[in-house]
Amino acid sequence: MTEPTFQGRIVDAMSQSEPWWPPRAAAPEGAPNVVVMIVDDMGYSDLASFGSEIPTPHLDAVAGEGLRLANFHVTPTCSPTRAALMTGRNSHAVGVGGVANIDPGFPGYAAELPANQPTIAETLRDQGYSTLMIGKWHLCKESDLGPGSDRHSWPLQRGFDQFYGFLEAQTNFFHPHQMYEGNSLVNVDQYPDGYYLTDDLTQRAVEMISEVVTDEPEKPFFLYFGHGAVHTPLHAKPEEIAKFRGAYDQGWDAVREQRFARQKELGLVSPDAVLAPINDETGPDVPTWDELDADGRRLAARYQEVFAAMVTSIDDSVGRIRDLLARLGKLDNTIFVFLSDNGAASDGGTDIGKFNHLSAMHKPSQRSVAERIPGDLARIDEIGGPTSWPANPVGWATTANTPFRRHKFSSFRGGNQVPFLISWPAGLDGVGGEIRHEYAHVTDLMPSLLDLAGVPVATSRKGLAAEPLDGVSFVPTLRDGSAPTAHTEQYLECFGERSYYRDGWEAVAIRKPVTPFASDRWELYNTLADPTQMRDLAAENPDLVEDLVAAWTAAAGENQVLPMADGTPVHWFQRPPSDERFVRETVLLPEVGMVERFRSAQLIDGRGFTIEATLPGYRAGDAGVLVSHGGQEAGYVLYIEDGSVIFAQNAFADSTLATTPVLVPEGARSIEVRVTAPGGSRWLVDLAIDGTVVVEQAEMAQLTWLVPFNGISVGMDRRSPVLWELHQKYGTFAWTGALDAVTYRPGELAPDAFAVMIDHFRKLGRATQ
């Protein structure tokens, strides 16, 4: 008998076997698409549907077809809210108890999510969803931002198929300091004229949705859109700002009263609710509008015109996405969620706002309002544009948080009660335009969305058992306005400010930084009868206060809250020893492009340093930037123009400091900038050519921590320009000659650098715990 051929055996096997393919994850039949849009630093009253005069027609449409949750709470700052949203757990419990920049060495403040806890993106992707992310992430450490860093805490490693945005807290809206596409840096030398971040993010969101729906029409998608707006810097397109010219000349007292009246008409607050005073004794001073002089009022109004224009850009973004979904036939079966990450910020901290918010990093440059008004008034039309880095006056931040007390970072409700909208035409029909007043918390969002989508809560991640969710589904209250909330208790902590909520009662600690936590006084509010927390009932209910404080203490232990930030800079500047790897001589070749911001900062932060540009030989006529570091917020640049070398500094967009131009001799091979940091926030700069000092001891402002915000760029001034005048003349001013390398050599720390003072801060902090 003849043996079958090899081909014959394959044919025979195929005829006798059923084909097998590994099963694909499939979402429940008819599963809805999910869009979660979170905005940054928007106050409770900043949408028209929550009382604002700012037109937001597209968000009004969401409110009209869906629901407003009038009693929705987040943490008082950005990263913790995002961590709680992503995991359904309390932020400290997942290692993000504070802003995710630095890991100070405490489990509750690790600045990244734990390996065992799945995100909502990971959960939905495992259940057959496409997962898309746009915009701000801010859930990884600064030391992990660079192209060579560990990406385990980047969006793609935490469940997203696609990502386009930025990884930090903020960026320049006209010249973003660093964008990322997936796991890669987006390399841009100069953004095109008319570029605006919100438009770019929205366009990419539209493209992502179109791509996945076209490719897999039956597959649902999850889009997480983290807007940069309305976080500082307050940047808006000039034509949008112009629409609000004069709209805020009446001032914040009047606008706040109007918003409060509108909130009562809308049914967001009860008719007998009391508007909190604009000047709260526990927060920064807020003057009445009439206390400002005419010039001060004119400046302050301009900032709110820019802020309003930013809000409309967000609404336009919502409109573009909803229009696309409608044209794709997906709008009815899309759950759309809109919320803010915390209350409006009082970053401006002054009566009239700040032209450059980051100037707060340099104490010697601080001036009184009266001293600042003439210079700021001369540049009023620049506020909101690419030469500014503005922050709103505290009076407008308080207005944004109407009707509540305080702002971002506060344990009072101005810090954590935010606007919240949800719609799903196909699944929440019959409730359009209604308001729910039951308590809900950001940890409830993940279980609620999974509940609506019919997706189970994941119990593990990569073989590691997950912890149970802290949040609970609020779907019953969405469907039935008489259903009680299932979220009856919640702790809060933010930079030492604390509160505890239980069944409508809320105890709030009155915190004074750098004092013992045990000495803080606790106030008590019945938020069902007093939602703006105006009547302290602690004296009448001492036992209840004691119970709530004990409950807070227990929750703090369960959620890794301790040790808390105490008012010293320890939580900001206590870095792991591994970060020392960044403080070493670094050779930058012309091909490097722009060095990531944090990596750049480590070469100069708090210390002296040397920059050496090495050339194969200077030739007459060679011109351009040898190295730049920073942007319009602040920075420095070494360049040659008309045969002379200049080291110049943008001192917080307030003034330009520059060395005297020195002719560069033919054949020069080394141009060196030698910076010493003697303390007092000063730099002393020497300039040398081929080892010979040609400029001595030029005094400049010391740049530190977040400043410069743009990274180091070799051979041109990329993205946001350090010197606007130079940019207007030459653009990026690319170096026309040959350039071997630019070498940074970090030097001695200043005597008052935070790294030198850290033991002192630790000693101060120990006394508070």
Side-chain angles (χ1 to χ4, degrees), residues 519-547:
S519 66
D520 290 348
R521 176 174 57 85
W522 289 76
E523 297 182 347
L524 178 69
Y525 300 97
N526 179 354
T527 63
L528 299 178
D530 178 23
T532 56
Q533 300 172 303
M534 294 305 301
R535 297 186 294 276
D536 176 17
L537 303 177
E540 295 95 314
N541 300 275
D543 292 342
L544 180 54
V545 172
E546 185 176 346
D547 287 348

Side-chain angles (χ1 to χ4, degrees), residues 319-331:
R320 285 199 63 195
I321 291 172
R322 283 172 54 83
D323 175 69
L324 174 74
L325 293 173
R327 290 187 288 118
L328 290 170
K330 299 292 185 181
L331 183 60

Side-chain angles (χ1 to χ4, degrees), residues 292-301 352 373-374 377 380:
L292 303 180
D293 63 21
D295 288 342
R297 291 195 294 269
R298 185 180 168 201
L299 278 166
I352 59 169
I373 282 178
L377 198 60
I380 189 170

Side-chain angles (χ1 to χ4, degrees), residues 31-190:
N33 307 300
V34 180
V35 176
V36 174
M37 183 177 285
I38 185 168
V39 296
D40 211 322
D41 291 0
M42 177 180 280
Y44 185 80
S45 74
D46 281 329
L47 303 180
S49 56
F50 277 79
S52 179
E53 71 294 333
I54 303 171
T56 51
H58 302 296
L59 285 163
D60 290 352
V62 176
E65 69 189 21
L67 293 147
R68 281 166 285 176
L69 303 194
N71 195 7
F72 189 86
H73 296 261
V74 292
T75 78
T77 190
C78 48
S79 299
T81 290
R82 285 165 169 73
L85 185 157
M86 278 285 144
T87 64
R89 299 207 68 217
N90 290 322
S91 59
H92 298 82
V94 289
V96 191
V99 178
N101 286 55
I102 296 164
D103 176 5
F106 311 125
Y109 305 87
E112 61 185 24
L113 301 176
N116 71 313
Q117 203 66 35
T119 67
I120 185 172
E122 290 168 322
T123 302
L124 290 173
R125 185 168 68 181
D126 287 348
Q127 294 293 321
Y129 274 71
S130 294
T131 53
L132 319 171
M133 194 203 151
I134 292 289
K136 171 177 170 174
W137 178 238
H138 208 196
L139 287 173
C140 63
K141 295 179 284 194
E142 287 180 316
S143 55
D144 284 342
L145 295 175
S149 65
D150 191 326
R151 290 166 166 77
H152 67 277
S153 290
W154 288 24
L156 265 58
Q157 282 65 37
R158 296 304 314 211
F160 289 99
D161 299 325
Q162 298 186 57
F163 167 60
Y164 178 72
F166 57 102
L167 296 175
E168 297 195 68
Q170 60 187 329
T171 193
N172 187 315
F173 282 76
F174 298 106
H175 306 277
H177 73 295
Q178 185 59 71
M179 299 291 285
Y180 299 78
E181 179 85 45
N183 276 337
S184 299
L185 277 66
V186 176
N187 290 314
V188 176
D189 289 341
Q190 186 172 5

Side-chain angles (χ1 to χ4, degrees), residues 418-461:
V418 298
F420 185 99
L421 302 171
I422 184 169
S423 69
W424 182 21
L428 291 173
D429 56 333
V431 297
E434 295 184 14
I435 298 173
R436 298 289 184 261
H437 292 278
E438 291 73 26
Y439 184 96
H441 188 260
V442 66
T443 52
D444 301 335
L445 186 53
M446 178 175 172
S448 301
L449 291 174
L450 297 181
D451 187 359
L452 289 171
V455 170
V457 175
T459 57
S460 65
R461 179 179 186 267

